[in-house]
Amino acid sequence: MAGLTKEQKAAKAMLEKAVELSGLKAEEFALLSAEEQAAHMAKAQEAIDAEALAKAETAKKPPEEEVDNSHLIEVAKDGETLKVHPTCLAAHRLLGWKEA
């Protein structure tokens, strides 16, 4: 016997979400009028859509790569330190910075 189809799984998930958001038990939810159930189902669909959107946004973000700054040279002046690119070292020396 095959499992549920995508549509059946989605309908089941939406019903479970509607019951959860209503604060009722499944049996109590079934006793609500069609209009009340439809209102809860609409809220459930909004919640499911918001969750899916948040999940998609998270998936879109590329992982942050660590930057290799090992080539930078540390210089100091007046108790302050900087890490500068080797091509900028001469300019910093002219301004009084010393290699740390």
Side-chain angles (χ1 to χ4, degrees):
M1 184 170 159
L4 299 175
T5 65
K6 279 186 175 183
E7 292 80 18
Q8 290 171 327
K9 288 179 184 178
K12 183 179 177 183
M14 188 159 54
L15 178 61
E16 289 172 355
K17 191 68 164 177
V19 171
E20 176 189 331
L21 292 174
S22 71
L24 301 172
K25 295 179 182 175
E27 299 81 25
E28 296 169 334
F29 186 83
L31 297 175
L32 295 176
S33 69
E35 293 83 20
E36 292 173 316
Q37 286 184 7
H40 287 293
M41 294 295 262
K43 289 179 184 176
Q45 185 63 54
E46 289 175 9
I48 289 171
D49 290 345
E51 290 170 3
L53 182 61
K55 189 175 182 179
E57 288 295 320
T58 302
K60 283 183 184 178
K61 293 180 182 176
E64 292 185 24
E65 297 178 21
E66 286 195 29
V67 178
D68 178 21
N69 288 330
S70 62
H71 64 287
L72 299 179
I73 300 168
E74 194 166 303
V75 292
K77 176 182 172 184
D78 300 330
E80 218 177 324
T81 59
L82 300 174
K83 290 186 177 183
V84 298
H85 192 270
T87 60
C88 300
L89 183 58
H92 280 76
R93 282 184 180 156
L94 290 173
L95 296 171
W97 291 87
K98 306 242 186 255
E99 280 189 60

